[in-house]
Amino acid sequence: MATSGSRPLRVMLCAVVLACASGCTPGRPAAPAASGRSDTPTAVGATDGDFCKVELPATWKQALTDGKVAHQKGEALQIVTAAEDGTLFVDAFAAGTRSVQRIRGGERTTVMRLADEDAQVFDATFDGRWLVFSVQDEPTLDSTFGYYAWDSSGATPAHRIGQSTTKGGPWPNPVLLDGRAFWTISISESASQLHMTDLASGADKVIREGIPNTPFRFGDLVAWNEMDPRYDAMTLVAATPATGAVVALPAELRTPVARPATFNGDQQTVVWAANQNRLRVWRKGAPEPVTVIAHPPAGTRVEWPSITGDHVGWDNGDAMLLGDLRTRSYTQVTPTAGSLVARNGVVIVGYAPTGKDRHPVREWTVVKTSALPQLPAC
């Protein structure tokens, strides 16, 4: 995810961090098209933009139930990323120990134990081989953080590829593309760097310095927005993952965007939320962007968009929503609050905890988008 504003600040609760994950993981196929079936619930709201709201279909409810992730007794679990083949990566806390784990085929592998039980994974991305994740050092919104990489194909332990020493700054959402990790880090209260790390060789270089924000993926490019030194203008920039060199922006990234804005993308689509009240998507090759939400219902907003294939997710301040680009409709997925991210052909949903424990136990579900019939048009 990439954000912009007068100065990027971490103003989001860590429990909702997953909903603002970075651009979709490279190396994964585009989300498969859902079946041609379409449920027929009643529309429950007038069109907010080009899309309209419908009731959560019974088949979607069942898919969410079927995708529920089991956790061990007394364990606080947070799913930080997932793959279409069912592989999950989680931040798990139990018996005073916190660790990053891979869950695959019912078996668990410890990727890394965290040094402090109050440290927590902020975001993660996986390309089928490499896992790159960020860890907040403290459970505070302006904590310092580190970036780590793990090669799932071997026995080498996870290792740190970057560490911030300045609090605040861009959100630590890494992007993986062609075996390279892209990540931002603050170097002072008014400056940041965008790094490119070749994960196989370990070679790292700064590809942008000034005020580059959190990167996101769009097609074969890595992109980000950045502020000028006076914080009064925002510019989108794109680079090739082969060298990190800046390239000309594709048409889909040239549209003027009001700030503050939040960006995300996958192989075919860029999505952004501007001023917390407008959600738009632009597919590769389409003549113009499509407006999903133009005027949020009273008391709600539009934040932290994510996208995979034909499904776009976002947070409206009250609950998590998921839209279908084919039918121009959307539905409410969580009863209240929670988190949602659409990436890698799956939708990861976290439900709001029922208590206020220091390490709350939350329910999670992961659903392949291929298991979701089209939403009805209305």
Side-chain angles (χ1 to χ4, degrees), residues 148-166:
Y148 299 84
W150 180 63
D151 185 353
S152 66
S153 68
T156 304
H159 61 283
R160 186 165 58 191
I161 59 175
Q163 175 66 45
S164 72
T165 57
T166 302

Side-chain angles (χ1 to χ4, degrees), residues 348-368:
I348 304 168
V349 181
Y351 296 91
T354 55
K356 296 183 178 180
D357 189 85
R358 182 179 175 188
H359 302 289
V361 175
R362 304 174 65 196
E363 298 298 329
W364 292 86
T365 188
V366 177
V367 179
K368 292 202 297 185

Side-chain angles (χ1 to χ4, degrees), residues 4-5 211 225-235 257 259:
S4 71
I211 316 180
N225 66 69
E226 59 184 41
M227 305 296 295
D228 72 11
R230 295 173 298 176
Y231 306 115
D232 60 3
M234 181 188 75
T235 303
V257 178
R259 64 182 180 91

Side-chain angles (χ1 to χ4, degrees), residues 63-253:
L64 290 167
T65 298
D66 293 343
K68 184 177 179 180
V69 177
H71 54 78
Q72 298 171 354
K73 184 177 181 180
E75 178 183 55
L77 202 67
Q78 176 179 317
I79 299 175
V80 294
T81 198
E84 277 189 292
D85 66 0
T87 300
L88 306 177
F89 290 94
V90 304
D91 176 336
F93 176 81
T97 299
R98 196 170 200 123
S99 62
V100 180
Q101 299 181 18
R102 178 184 65 187
I103 303 177
R104 185 173 63 182
E107 296 184 357
R108 293 196 181 205
T109 300
T110 297
V111 174
M112 188 177 82
R113 295 188 185 278
L114 303 188
D116 191 318
E117 67 176 76
D118 287 327
Q120 57 188 321
V121 176
F122 187 93
D123 190 26
T125 183
F126 181 61
D127 68 359
R129 175 184 174 183
W130 291 100
L131 173 73
V132 176
F133 56 101
S134 57
V135 176
Q136 287 187 289
D137 299 320
E138 303 171 359
T140 59
L141 300 178
D142 64 347
S143 170
T144 55
F145 57 87
Y147 288 99
Y148 299 84
W150 180 63
D151 185 353
S152 66
S153 68
T156 304
H159 61 283
R160 186 165 58 191
I161 59 175
Q163 175 66 45
S164 72
T165 57
T166 302
K167 293 187 175 184
W171 296 101
N173 302 105
V175 168
L176 257 173
L177 197 55
D178 296 344
R180 297 173 178 88
F182 297 84
W183 46 279
T184 48
I185 200 165
S186 293
I187 56 175
S188 72
E189 291 184 355
S190 59
S192 57
Q193 292 177 336
L194 176 60
H195 287 246
M196 180 179 79
T197 304
D198 185 300
L199 297 173
S201 69
D204 177 80
K205 68 177 180 178
V206 176
I207 63 171
R208 199 73 166 183
E209 189 166 336
I211 316 180
N213 218 313
T214 308
F216 63 97
R217 180 189 183 176
F218 178 59
D220 296 327
L221 301 175
V222 59
W224 65 93
N225 66 69
E226 59 184 41
M227 305 296 295
D228 72 11
R230 295 173 298 176
Y231 306 115
D232 60 3
M234 181 188 75
T235 303
L236 284 173
V237 184
T240 171
T243 63
V246 171
V247 297
L249 287 174
E252 297 84 356
L253 298 182

